[in-house]
Amino acid sequence: MRIDVVSIFPSYFDGLTLSLLGRARENGLLDLHVHDLRDWTSDRHRTVDDTPYGGGAGMVMKPEPWGLALDELAGSSRPTIIFPSPAGEVFRQSTAREFAEHDHLIIGCGRYEGIDERVFEYAATLGEVRLVSLGDYVLNGGEVAAMAMIEAIGRLVPGVVGNPESLVEESHEDGLLEYGSYTKPSTWRDREVPGVLLSGNHAAIAAWRREQQIERTRARRPDLLSD
Ligand code: SAM
């Protein structure tokens, strides 16, 4: 899978050299390229923003650098072009799974008041465009959202997570939150590990875990049960 990220703060993504994704990049499972949007500017100040038509606070990202960046990065591959946006569809595990099937993703990180709206229309001539929100709150820029998405998508690429079993038993994989996990020691500061987990009875453990999943989903995320 190839992922191209465009940002005015490329060093945000330095952390993606670490841990599982860092190893996946070294092993060639994940071909991640981070680009500076300012490389597609041509003025002395490398300007990427300007005042909004119609007035209002803040600045808007100019369309031209974005057009040039997308032309160069999309080529003829018909990529999926993701723009993180609080006004987009909410990113879910199912979205991550869908994107993990794609060969080429481009992620365009907005800043300021966002990107000139015509960029999204133009991008749709180059590939599939998705405006994707991390949740119902506003970040300063798309970088943190892009990193979250890359991590969620990247770990679903076959081979990135060593034991594929561990992907199946996660929160949201079956529409429920995951059960609680415990490790040694069995008693810690007067708190005991639930006895059933020490019983060796696999059926009883599976039943207990399922019950936990339903209970905690009902308590913490009842919206998931009514979907
Ligand atoms: N004016 C925009 C609005 O109200 O929809 C918000 C702009 S925000 C300050 C700047 C950039 O942060 C956005 O272009 C987007 O890339 C990113 N961003 C902010 N909140 C986000 C969220 N919840 N999910 C994904 N990206 C977000």
Side-chain angles (χ1 to χ4, degrees), residues 41-63:
T41 58
S42 48
D43 64 310
R44 199 157 55 92
H45 300 292
R46 309 181 85 204
T47 313
V48 292
D49 61 321
D50 209 331
T51 52
Y53 276 122
M59 301 293 271
V60 175
M61 293 191 107
K62 291 161 70 65

Side-chain angles (χ1 to χ4, degrees), residues 9 24 37 46 65 72 77 91 98 119 124 126 141 177 197-199 227:
F9 293 117
L37 179 67
R46 309 181 85 204
E72 187 173 329
S77 78
F91 186 72
E98 184 195 336
V119 171
L126 302 173
L177 304 182
L197 298 179
L198 309 175
S199 68
D227 275 355

Side-chain angles (χ1 to χ4, degrees), residues 4-5 19 44 51 71 77 84 93 96 106 110 117 120 126 132 139 145-146 151 153 166 169 172-173 188 207-208 226:
D4 287 287
V5 184
S19 186
R44 199 157 55 92
T51 52
D71 285 343
S77 78
Q93 186 64 16
I106 297 176
E117 198 67 24
F120 309 131
L126 302 173
V132 184
L139 303 164
E151 185 150 317
I153 296 164
S166 63
E169 298 206 352
H172 303 294
E173 274 302 333
W188 176 74
W208 179 85
S226 57

Side-chain angles (χ1 to χ4, degrees), residues 69-125:
L70 293 173
D71 285 343
E72 187 173 329
L73 298 176
S76 56
S77 78
R78 302 292 306 167
T80 296
I81 306 173
I82 301 167
F83 292 101
S85 165
E89 61 180 296
V90 175
F91 186 72
R92 299 183 187 285
Q93 186 64 16
S94 54
T95 329
R97 234 181 286 123
E98 184 195 336
F99 290 156
E101 301 286 319
H102 295 207
D103 293 336
H104 187 195
L105 304 176
I106 297 176
I107 307 182
C109 301
R111 278 269 152 180
Y112 317 116
E113 288 309 312
I115 302 172
D116 185 306
E117 198 67 24
R118 290 167 294 180
V119 171
F120 309 131
E121 289 167 29
Y122 177 70
T125 67

